Structures are given as structure tokens and as C-alpha cells.
Amino acid sequence: MKEAVVVRDLVVRYDSVTALNGATATVCCGEALGIVGPNGSGKSTFLKAIAGLLQPQSGTIGVLGKAPRALKPGTIAYVPQIEAVDWTFPATVWDVVAMGRFPRLGLFGRFGAHDKAAVWRALDLVKMRDLARRHISALSGGQQQRAFMARAIAQEPQVLLLDEPTTGVDASTEEALRVVVRELVATGMPVIMTTHDLDRAGDWFDRLMVLDRRVLAIGTPDEVLESGTYAGIREHAHVHGHLRTD
Amino acid sequence: MQHILDPFHYAFMQRAFVTALLVGVLCSAMGTYVILRRLSFIGDGIAHASFAGIVIAYLRGADYYVGAGIVAILTALGIGFVHRRGRVALDTAIGVLFTGAFALGIFLMSRQRSYSIDLQSFLFGDILSVNGRDVLTIVGLGLLVAVVTAVMFRALLYTSFDPVVAQASGINAPLVEYVLLVLLALTIIISLQAVGIVLVAALLVTPAAAAYQLTQRFARMMAISIFFGAICSVGGLYASYYLRSSSGATIVLLATIVFFLAIGAKQVGGAIARRA
């Protein structure tokens, strides 16, 4: 399979805190990689580095053979946690999903019928068509997460990064998101997603990675869960008291 | 009828009305970004800092717009840099920088034997003194701001709502922010003569804040804000002619009234919606 994202010896520090200390992983096209690890293990940092949102101290990141910042606009779609934005912003669901089209349009492109069709398609995929005209402040957490997912789909990206999309959402949203992710993966999309939920890892991911500043284990979900690596660091974190259970 | 059209007979009043309209439209349009990106303190800071540029330009016999422009743009970029990189809190940085620059302006001015520039007119504006060349400068810079804003409309919208995701998808969010700050600086400069340093911040915030109460979509918020800005600045200038009041202060007072009316309208609208 074609390699989509190649991360080698990634080191990221925030001031004196080391968030990632030599993380290495490869994700292929048509593959979903789940990332688990305790809070502060660098899961979100790993995604942000791939998205080109922060400058690593050392190591390399290749996305479709290029550095993240050198990619054409619209290549990477990043779905943040829903707390990341102000939901009182004057915008409807449609407006937010339409933003997914903006990167490819550039400064002078016209938002045309093709773009509108892509927005409706994305809304349909996450089952939000009926809420298109609703103001975003009137959405539940699950609906907000679906709107973010629809924006990413409308972008028609080549790489999809998801930061804990299942945290704090209802069961039907979680299932809707899972179905959409598997459909995208089936079309060849590489997906990297952080999660706290181990129970359904086998349904979501082709491979699972345990991260705690470095990659402690990577393999099929079954292999990783049987190895007990994640259970091990959870125990360790509990003993040392720096794991928030959430 | 004759009486109603009275103010428009004078050339200086005609220039003042054109200026008021342009400034009202521009400030309230940019105000949409100021409100949504929480930049109101930055607008205030740029306005105060540009006072130093005005005084230096005056003392050196240079053009007012050049002096104010250079200082305003440098301040805007400096603030943007601190905002992005700084280990100092943004409000602290602005508080230090703009009061410092403002004090430098006062210091330089106070060392002059005669106060031939009128401090009051810079603080509160003197729209009636706008000459033909000023109008041309204001129109030119105003067009520049309008065109750049229109071209960058989508990038500005996306980065206002979600700068992180916009950047991940390949939009240069830091560059967009710097461009916005420069546009803000230009808007402030062309507004200084009309409404002055103290009141320009109000014109950047109040119409947009009123519009924010009345709509849930971005483009409409900007349109309503522009409408309010135009009405208030032209109406305020018109009223000041009969009330013999400071035009800048009258404009801002009118905008303040509109803001409270908008809040009232929202409350009433909400109550009706709940009953229905």
C-alpha cells in the first residue's frame, strides 16, 4: 500500500515540557490508525505536527512525500475537539461546512454549484441535512462534532486527522462517525485519530498505536490490546497520580 | 426644505459628509472582525500609538498620513507579533506599548514653544477641517482596504471562526492576521481626522456589536454593521450641525443609542419568539 504519512523520530517541546520524544510511525492510504495514550502523552501534538500546526524540534514528517506546509491547500483535513471554537460565532451549520471548500478555492475562486453539491453531500454523510440552516449555537455536542466532520469531508482532503471525535458525543453520533470514517478508508483515505475508547478499537481502526511521548506499541488492535501495553501505562499513570480519568 | 438642506450648501460640510460616510462604512465593516476576533483593545492601542506618528510628522514637516500610517502599521505588526510569539500577555503588551507611544507624542508636542497643533482635534477629531486632498487620500486608502478585504473575505472569515483548522487545511492564518491588522491600522488612520483617537475605537466596535445582536450569519452581520455605521456617522454629523456639538462625539453617541436599541430589539424579539 502507498505510504501516506511518514513520521520519523519526532521531537516536540513546549518550553520545557517534552510532548513528543522520538515518535516514529507510518500510515498508508486506505488505513485508519488509532492513537491511544494517557493525557499528556502527546496524542494531540502528534496530530498537530502532521497538520503542520507546530514546528518540531527535530525529526521529519512526510505527508504524501512532502512537508506538511509544502502541501497544496486542502490536502489535510483536521477535525479538532469541539471546545476549540466559539460556538456563538454568527454562522449556520451550512456556513461552517462550506468553509471546508475555502482552502481549494483560494483567493479568487468562485463558490459555485460544484462546491454547494460537495457541502450537501458532506451534510448527508453525517446525517445533518435537516439542520443545515440551524445556527451553530443551537447544536448539541454530537451535532457540533458532526458539523466539524462534514466540514472536513466537504474539503475533499487526501489525509484526515481526527482529535478525539468520540469524546462527549452520543452513541448515535459515534456510530455515524465510525461509519463515515470506514467509508472514507474504503475509498483509500488515510485516517489518523486519537481516542480514549478502547472497547471498539477493532471496529474503528486497522491499526492501533500506544503513545506516551514515544510509540510504545503499534499493530492490529487485537495485538496491541493483548500485549497489555496500554493497560500497563494506565496502571503506571494511576500509581503516579498524573492521569485524569475522563 | 431649505432649512433641512442647509448643511449641504457649504463645501466643507459636503467634504465632511463624504468623509463621515466613508469612515462610518469602513470602520463598521472592519468592526465585524474586531468584534468576532476580540481585537477591540488592539484598535484602541493602534489609534493611541499613531498619535506619536502624527506629532513626529508635524514636527518634521512631513505628511500627516505618512507619519500616522508608518507608526500605526508598525504598531499593528508589533502587536500581532507579540500576540503570536509573546510570553507577555497581549493586553499587558498593548497597555505598555500604546501608552508609551502616546506619551512620546505628548512629550514631543509639549516641548514646542507654541502648541500650534490642537491636541483636542486629534483626540476627538475635526471633520470640518477635512480638505479636498484629505478626501482623496481617504477615498484611495478606503478603496484599498475594501478591495483587500473583499479578496480575502473567505480567508478572513475562516480564520476568524477557526484559525487552527484553517491553517491545517493550508490557509496561512498568521499571514491573514497580519494583513487584517494592517487593514485595521489603515482604517484607523483615515478615521482619525473625522472622529479622533479616543472615538475611533468606539466606531470600530459599536456598530458591529449592535449588528451582532440582530443576526446569526456573518455576511449579514457585516452588512447590518455597515448600515448602522453609515447611518450613525452621517446622521451624527448632520445632528451636530444643528446641535452645535462635536461631530465625532455626536456620531459615537448616536451609535451607542443604536447599540442599546439593538439589544432592546433582541430582547423583545426573543420574548415574542418564546410566546409564539
Side-chain angles (χ1 to χ4, degrees):
Chain A
M1 267 194 296
K2 189 183 160 205
E3 289 179 345
V5 178
V6 181
V7 177
R8 286 216 178 86
D9 302 321
L10 192 63
V11 176
V12 178
R13 286 190 205 95
Y14 302 110
D15 293 326
S16 58
V17 180
T18 302
L20 287 172
N21 195 8
T24 296
T26 300
V27 183
C28 294
C29 291
E31 179 183 55
L33 174 72
I35 304 177
V36 292
N39 286 308
S41 59
K43 298 192 297 289
S44 293
T45 302
F46 190 78
L47 290 186
K48 283 184 175 158
I50 294 168
L53 292 170
L54 42 84
Q55 192 62 47
Q57 267 64 37
S58 66
T60 58
I61 301 168
V63 179
L64 304 169
K66 288 184 177 169
R69 296 274 178 89
L71 293 162
K72 270 195 353 202
T75 306
I76 297 178
Y78 169 69
V79 178
Q81 298 184 34
I82 52 177
E83 298 81 31
V85 302
D86 173 11
W87 290 92
T88 66
F89 193 89
T92 61
V93 171
W94 165 275
D95 295 335
V96 169
V97 178
M99 288 178 194
R101 305 299 301 168
F102 292 178
R104 281 179 199 282
L105 287 171
L107 294 181
F108 300 102
R110 203 178 70 86
F111 192 94
H114 173 71
D115 300 295
K116 283 183 188 161
V119 173
W120 283 121
R121 235 177 5 253
L123 284 166
D124 280 336
L125 272 174
V126 299
K127 302 187 170 56
M128 289 278 283
R129 176 178 275 263
D130 296 343
L131 298 178
R133 299 171 80 84
R134 184 172 289 190
H135 186 256
I136 54 171
S137 66
L139 300 177
S140 71
Q143 290 163 345
Q144 290 174 343
Q145 193 68 62
R146 289 185 203 207
F148 268 180
M149 187 71 181
R151 177 177 63 179
I153 295 167
Q155 189 181 319
E156 297 178 336
Q158 291 174 267
V159 177
L160 180 59
L161 309 174
L162 305 161
D163 197 0
E164 297 195 23
T166 59
T167 301
V169 305
D170 54 286
S172 69
T173 293
E174 180 175 345
E175 182 57 16
L177 292 174
R178 191 191 67 82
V179 169
V180 170
V181 165
R182 289 318 306 180
E183 280 174 12
L184 291 169
V185 170
T187 65
M189 179 87 75
V191 175
I192 307 178
M193 170 174 147
T194 62
T195 185
H196 271 117
D197 184 16
L198 281 178
D199 297 340
R200 298 199 61 201
D203 298 329
W204 275 92
F205 309 116
D206 302 295
R207 285 193 302 151
L208 190 63
M209 174 169 119
V210 180
L211 188 72
D212 193 5
R213 295 188 193 84
R214 56 176 65 232
V215 178
L216 298 183
I218 188 164
T220 66
D222 284 345
E223 286 168 6
V224 170
L225 294 176
E226 277 165 27
S227 75
T229 316
Y230 187 53
I233 45 172
R234 282 182 83 92
E235 286 300 315
H236 175 79
H238 275 299
V239 169
H240 290 83
H242 49 62
L243 180 77
R244 266 192 306 128
T245 43
D246 51 10
Chain B
M1 192 65 192
Q2 191 62 38
H3 192 58
I4 294 170
L5 292 176
D6 233 16
F8 298 103
H9 287 164
Y10 306 100
F12 74 89
M13 280 306 281
Q14 290 164 3
R15 287 194 297 269
F17 275 110
V18 171
T19 306
L21 183 63
L22 283 169
V23 165
V25 166
L26 266 188
C27 280
S28 50
M30 299 312 286
T32 318
Y33 300 111
V34 170
I35 291 283
L36 294 176
R37 299 173 84 122
R38 304 183 202 288
L39 301 175
S40 57
F41 199 43
I42 288 182
D44 209 21
I46 295 170
H48 276 81
S50 57
F51 179 65
I54 294 172
V55 174
I56 292 168
Y58 171 77
L59 293 178
R60 309 208 58 171
D63 188 86
Y64 150 90
Y65 286 105
V66 175
I70 291 171
V71 173
I73 289 170
L74 285 179
T75 309
L77 294 176
I79 289 171
F81 185 77
V82 171
H83 186 18
R84 213 146 264 291
R85 295 284 164 85
R87 283 147 206 278
V88 186
L90 184 64
D91 53 352
T92 310
I94 297 171
V96 171
L97 285 176
F98 94 61
T99 48
F102 189 62
L104 176 66
I106 302 271
F107 172 82
L108 291 172
M109 209 174 88
S110 63
R111 278 172 31 92
Q112 293 302 297
R113 269 164 213 264
S114 61
Y115 276 11
S116 49
I117 30 178
D118 178 11
L119 180 61
Q120 177 119 352
S121 76
F122 285 110
L123 292 181
F124 300 105
D126 186 7
I127 200 167
L128 302 181
S129 71
V130 172
N131 62 32
R133 196 168 151 270
D134 294 334
V135 173
L136 281 181
T137 310
I138 290 169
V139 169
L141 287 176
L143 271 177
L144 177 70
V145 172
V147 168
V148 175
T149 304
V151 168
M152 295 187 57
F153 190 82
R154 285 192 296 251
L156 283 165
L157 170 58
Y158 202 167
T159 55
S160 294
F161 174 62
D162 196 342
V164 172
V165 171
Q167 196 184 344
S169 69
I171 291 171
N172 191 336
L175 179 65
V176 172
E177 179 166 289
Y178 282 120
V179 171
L180 177 65
L181 288 171
V182 170
L183 294 177
L184 203 54
L186 291 174
T187 303
I188 288 166
I189 294 157
I190 58 184
S191 308
L192 282 183
Q193 204 165 359
V195 289
I197 290 162
V198 176
L199 300 180
V200 68
L203 213 45
L204 276 172
V205 169
T206 313
Y212 188 40
Q213 308 297 320
L214 301 178
T215 181
Q216 299 191 322
R217 300 192 77 175
F218 178 82
R220 270 183 224 166
M221 176 179 167
M222 185 178 268
I224 295 172
S225 178
I226 288 173
F227 175 72
F228 284 160
I231 292 285
C232 292
S233 43
V234 173
L237 176 61
Y238 187 80
S240 73
Y241 178 83
Y242 290 104
L243 299 173
R244 298 171 190 284
S245 53
S246 149
S247 52
T250 313
I251 289 168
V252 172
L253 271 181
L254 193 56
T256 312
I257 292 168
V258 166
F259 172 74
F260 282 109
L261 287 177
I263 286 193
K266 190 190 184 187
Q267 299 289 336
V268 171
I272 291 170
R274 275 191 296 278
R275 271 170 174 240

